[in-house]
Amino acid sequence: MLRVLAIAALILALPRGVAAQATGILHIKVVLLDAERKETPVPRHALLISDNPPTTSPRRVVTGLDGTAEVRLRPGSYTVESDEPAAFQGKAYQWTKTLNIVAGRDAVLQLTTANAEVVAVRAGAPATDTASAKPDLSTLLAQWQDSIVGLWTPTTHASGFVIGANGLVATSQRAIGTATSVEVQLTPSVKVAGSVLAADADRDAAVLWINPEAAASVRPVPLGCGQPAKLVEAGQEIITIGAPLGQQNGPEFGVVSRVEPHTIVSDFTLPTGSAGGPVFSAAGNVIGVTSLDEEKEGRKRESSRVVRLEELCGVVALAETKMKDAMPPAGTHLPVEPAVAVPAIALKEMALRRVGSLNPYQMTSTNFDVSFITPVMLQDLTKGFVRPLLDFSNWSEYVANIPPVLLVRVTPQMVESFWTKVARGAAQTQGVALPPIKRIRSGFLRMRAYCGDKEVTPIHPFRLEQRVSETDAIYEGLYAFDPAALSPSCAGVTLVLYSEKEPAKEDTRVVDPKIVQQIWQDFAPYRAAK
């Protein structure tokens, strides 16, 4: 006992930066055995996850069509329990399990017939028998999960789905905004260019085009345009599949709240980046596309907007007309994020051993401040995972996942004009002290990077949107590169910056070799993990 107390006291005495731990991922799988001893996944089974002792309300997660779920948790002891029993072949099963999450490690929890508590089927409960009601949903996921694609624009991530062997991809117009070109991620290792053939803001539907050869390996989702419209009613169960930001393609389940002339309102809770995915009825028919809600619409947070299939079909017809006189985009594969998994604890330890601050490496140009950000710099050693002082605006969630990339941030400089200085000087002679009044020297337009004399294509050419008013915004650049692309092996690393004020004028800057070497050292854990 004395030894335990001594260890506990030692842990409590550690600085918060040392005691803080990275999160771990809990992989949950729920399966039951049927009469023939065959495993049957339990989809849509709700589980409540509570920390021990409880400090907040339980976290609710729901299994997908394959009976699995993943959740990121901080280190500690947790209790996982069923929210409601799962009905299966005349019986009802529920689980209550306690487990520990270790920093930087994955944990697996299998909930099966063997470790379940069998309880009486609740009187009046709906007939949701797993064996009879869910096989079609599992087939639905298996059929179309790989048909869902991720869509990247400089300002947002969305979902889409291939609808034709000719390379057409459908999505929501709101989900991709005003973009005219989109990068389409078909798999974690394959990303190609896509062009927006047709987009209708009123219908909230858009159709993209990718090279047909790139789409050849993807099974198109049949829309059924031109066929009689499928009946959709309030209370009907519906399913959508999306490509969430930083996650695998997966389903979300919902119920129709009401049906409107052009849209369907449901209780979907969509993860970031899932808008634009197809919505299916329980029978497997496409009935619409998920979209984004606007705050001014006054909808409740728990409601979600679905564009009806008829609206999408109208835009598809327009796209098919336009593609007759256009050339398809190139099918060249674009750079993707490296498939490297480094334990979060390794990055944390590296940050603790680091000499000096965790601030980005910096350089300046005529109009901009340039910051080089590596995963090590995103470690918050006192409060959490991503340092709060680094605000990444519309891409904050992307950066929060600490991707294995080099981030180059380009921020417009703030300056005070000559006449403003004169006015402040005049005011000071009258005894009035005014603070400096600064404005942006010039907005950011784009950037090109070179390794020696070879241009390097970024994985993501993001733009950070900083709102200055309800109608105006300024933009910063946030470019993601493969860390091996800009390395000491280059015969010099050069950045060419362009401003909105002078879009044709090149501002060329050579990156200090010492910065390039420091960046290379920061990615040592990733090279060791390959």
Side-chain angles (χ1 to χ4, degrees):
M1 177 62 74
L2 291 175
R3 183 181 179 186
V4 172
L5 292 175
I7 293 174
L10 178 60
I11 292 174
L12 291 174
L14 287 173
R16 292 187 65 190
V18 177
Q21 297 291 323
T23 58
I25 298 178
L26 174 60
H27 303 269
I28 302 171
K29 184 175 183 179
V30 187
V31 293
L32 293 170
L33 295 178
D34 61 17
E36 298 177 354
R37 307 295 295 173
K38 180 182 178 182
E39 285 191 351
T40 302
V42 182
R44 294 204 70 185
H45 186 62
L47 296 164
L48 302 177
I49 303 178
S50 309
D51 55 342
N52 297 317
T55 58
T56 60
S57 57
R59 185 171 178 177
R60 189 174 188 268
V61 298
V62 180
T63 59
L65 292 172
D66 58 353
T68 67
E70 291 184 359
V71 59
R72 188 180 292 275
L73 299 169
R74 293 186 179 278
S77 173
Y78 292 88
T79 296
V80 181
E81 57 187 326
S82 300
D83 191 14
E84 293 285 346
F88 181 66
Q89 296 187 343
K91 296 182 180 180
Y93 299 83
Q94 64 183 24
W95 294 267
T96 301
K97 297 294 174 184
T98 301
L99 74 160
N100 293 318
I101 298 296
V102 179
R105 296 183 183 177
D106 288 5
V108 177
L109 176 61
Q110 295 227 20
L111 303 178
T112 66
T113 309
N115 60 14
E117 176 188 1
V118 182
V119 297
V121 178
R122 180 168 54 88
T128 57
D129 191 298
T130 301
S132 61
K134 300 304 180 186
D136 288 343
L137 299 185
S138 299
T139 302
L140 181 70
L141 178 61
Q143 277 186 322
W144 307 123
Q145 187 171 16
D146 293 338
S147 304
I148 313 304
V149 298
L151 307 178
W152 300 92
T153 77
T155 57
T156 191
H157 178 275
S159 297
F161 54 107
V162 177
I163 58 173
N166 53 6
L168 291 185
V169 176
T171 188
S172 156
Q173 187 276 329
R174 285 187 187 175
I176 62 170
T178 58
T180 57
S181 61
V182 177
E183 293 184 346
V184 180
Q185 187 123 20
L186 299 169
T187 70
S189 61
V190 178
K191 185 173 66 171
V192 296
S195 60
V196 179
L197 268 183
D200 190 318
D202 293 331
R203 287 174 163 166
D204 188 12
V207 177
L208 322 177
W209 196 14
I210 62 174
N211 190 282
E213 292 184 6
S217 61
V218 182
R219 184 179 181 183
V221 178
L223 294 182
C225 295
Q227 300 177 8
K230 304 297 182 183
L231 179 64
V232 181
E233 298 178 310
Q236 179 178 332
E237 185 181 61
I238 53 178
I239 311 100
T240 183
I241 307 176
L245 179 65
Q247 302 178 38
Q248 293 182 344
N249 295 1
E252 297 293 330
F253 300 88
V255 174
V256 175
S257 302
R258 66 178 182 272
V259 179
E260 299 176 346
H262 305 289
T263 60
I264 299 167
V265 180
S266 79
D267 62 351
F268 282 139
T269 301
L270 298 178
T272 301
S274 289
V279 179
F280 300 89
S281 67
N285 300 311
V286 177
I287 61 171
V289 181
T290 54
S291 182
L292 299 173
D293 278 328
E294 293 181 345
E295 292 183 5
K296 66 182 182 181
E297 290 181 344
R299 299 188 191 276
K300 296 181 179 178
R301 273 188 157 186
E302 60 268 22
S303 68
S304 183
R305 186 174 184 272
V306 175
V307 179
R308 296 187 63 164
L309 178 62
E310 302 91 286
E311 304 299 318
L312 173 61
C313 287
V315 180
V316 171
L318 178 60
E320 290 175 338
T321 300
K322 287 187 174 182
M323 70 186 297
K324 295 176 182 178
D325 300 320
M327 292 291 292
T332 306
H333 289 190
L334 301 174
V336 297
E337 293 169 13
V340 180
V342 174
I345 191 64
L347 292 177
K348 203 88 162 187
E349 290 172 352
M350 187 172 181
L352 288 168
R353 294 195 304 267
R354 186 184 179 88
V355 177
S357 72
L358 288 177
N359 292 332
Y361 309 119
Q362 294 184 320
M363 59 182 284
T364 61
S365 73
T366 303
N367 298 311
F368 306 104
D369 294 321
V370 182
S371 301
F372 301 88
I373 305 166
T374 66
V376 174
M377 298 172 187
L378 299 175
Q379 310 300 307
D380 184 344
L381 302 180
T382 59
K383 296 182 179 179
F385 210 49
V386 176
R387 300 172 68 195
L389 59 89
L390 298 175
D391 175 25
F392 293 92
S393 183
N394 46 303
W395 288 111
S396 292
E397 191 163 339
Y398 171 82
V399 179
N401 290 326
I402 310 191
V405 298
L406 167 65
L407 296 172
V408 181
R409 184 171 187 169
V410 185
T411 304
Q413 292 177 349
M414 304 291 289
V415 296
E416 188 174 28
S417 70
F418 171 77
W419 292 112
T420 301
K421 289 181 181 179
V422 170
R424 284 201 306 114
Q428 193 168 8
T429 62
Q430 303 299 316
V432 180
L434 298 176
I437 302 173
K438 295 185 177 182
R439 60 179 178 81
I440 296 173
R441 187 189 296 271
S442 180
F444 171 79
L445 182 62
R446 61 191 178 99
M447 181 184 79
R448 301 170 72 180
Y450 291 86
C451 171
D453 58 0
K454 181 181 179 181
E455 184 171 0
V456 178
T457 302
I459 298 172
H460 300 301
F462 291 150
R463 300 184 79 192
L464 302 182
E465 184 180 58
Q466 307 288 359
R467 304 300 304 183
V468 294
S469 69
E470 290 187 0
T471 57
D472 297 321
I474 60 172
Y475 290 94
E476 300 176 66
L478 183 69
Y479 283 57
F481 291 96
D482 187 303
L486 302 175
S487 70
S489 64
C490 299
V493 173
T494 306
L495 303 182
V496 182
L497 307 173
Y498 299 84
S499 69
E500 291 180 335
K501 186 176 181 180
E502 298 178 290
K505 184 178 180 180
E506 297 183 351
D507 186 358
T508 303
R509 301 287 160 163
V510 177
V511 182
D512 188 333
K514 293 181 180 179
I515 292 180
V516 177
Q517 185 62 45
Q518 289 173 312
I519 293 170
W520 183 252
Q521 292 174 355
D522 282 357
F523 281 98
Y526 292 92
R527 294 193 296 276
K530 288 185 177 180

